[in-house]
Amino acid sequence: MKLITCLDDKNGLLFHCRRQSQDRGLRAFMKDMVKGSRVYMNSYTYELYKDIPNAVVCDDFLEKADTGDYCLVKEYEDRIEELILFRWNKIYPADLYFDLDLSAWHLEETEEFEGSTHHITKKRYTKEKHHYETAKWNLSRTVAPDPGTQPRSV
């Protein structure tokens, strides 16, 4: 599955069970990006994304989504094949954070655009093949999982 989520600069997802922001420009961008694909989501997310064609709304959407399907989520699991992060480029109050370690992911694409209320950065990641085998055999290798972050030893 291809996970899509929106984060602030500190990886915040939600505050008091509510989205941090609802940018119309971002929703239009997503709608165009997923054109022709199934997009799985829960009923809470559907309230904001009703205009996405091929939306599949169900409580167990993470179990039903298959390879190549998109999922709009605030949670994730091991079946993710691609990760699409939209960043608000602001910091909002948050009490739920996205804590997936991106060191096992490869940044494939970065795109910036103007939403209706935010300057938004899209980052598309794919799972690195053999990441853990490489780390096991080459312990002194230095990685920077994301441009702009400090390298760290593995």
Side-chain angles (χ1 to χ4, degrees):
M1 83 177 86
K2 299 175 181 181
L3 181 131
I4 302 171
T5 195
C6 303
L7 307 171
D8 71 9
D9 282 351
K10 290 192 173 188
N11 291 340
L13 285 164
L14 297 173
F15 184 60
H16 291 294
C17 299
R18 293 178 44 215
R19 290 178 186 84
Q20 294 176 322
S21 185
Q22 301 178 18
D23 190 285
R24 289 182 315 277
L26 173 61
R27 291 195 311 267
F29 185 93
M30 280 187 195
K31 182 180 175 181
D32 188 54
M33 182 183 81
V34 302
K35 194 178 291 183
S37 300
R38 285 183 301 202
V39 183
Y40 285 80
M41 62 190 79
N42 62 21
S43 57
Y44 174 70
T45 299
Y46 182 69
E47 290 303 313
L48 188 59
Y49 293 96
K50 287 180 179 180
D51 60 338
I52 290 185
N54 300 325
V56 179
V57 182
C58 54
D59 290 331
D60 59 345
F61 64 96
L62 287 173
E63 289 79 32
K64 291 185 177 181
D66 202 1
T67 302
D69 290 333
Y70 288 94
C71 286
L72 279 164
V73 298
K74 63 179 193 282
E75 300 168 355
Y76 55 87
E77 51 181 59
D78 293 335
R79 295 182 24 223
I80 303 166
E81 63 192 83
E82 190 171 299
L83 180 60
I84 302 165
L85 300 181
F86 289 97
R87 296 218 176 249
W88 301 121
N89 298 311
K90 292 184 179 182
I91 298 172
Y92 289 106
D95 52 19
L96 182 66
Y97 291 86
F98 185 79
D99 61 359
L100 182 65
D101 179 10
L102 294 178
S103 65
W105 294 80
H106 177 70
L107 180 62
E108 295 283 342
E109 170 189 16
T110 299
E111 182 177 352
E112 295 189 14
F113 61 96
E114 290 299 325
S116 59
T117 57
H118 298 82
H119 178 80
I120 299 168
T121 303
K122 171 191 167 195
K123 293 188 176 190
R124 187 175 62 84
Y125 295 86
T126 56
K127 195 79 164 177
E128 280 192 39
K129 294 178 182 171
H130 311 298
H131 170 77
Y132 294 105
E133 292 87 358
T134 304
K136 182 170 55 175
W137 294 107
N138 187 4
L139 297 176
S140 63
R141 183 175 136 228
T142 301
V143 293
D146 192 302
T149 61
Q150 293 296 317
R152 60 182 178 74
S153 293
V154 182

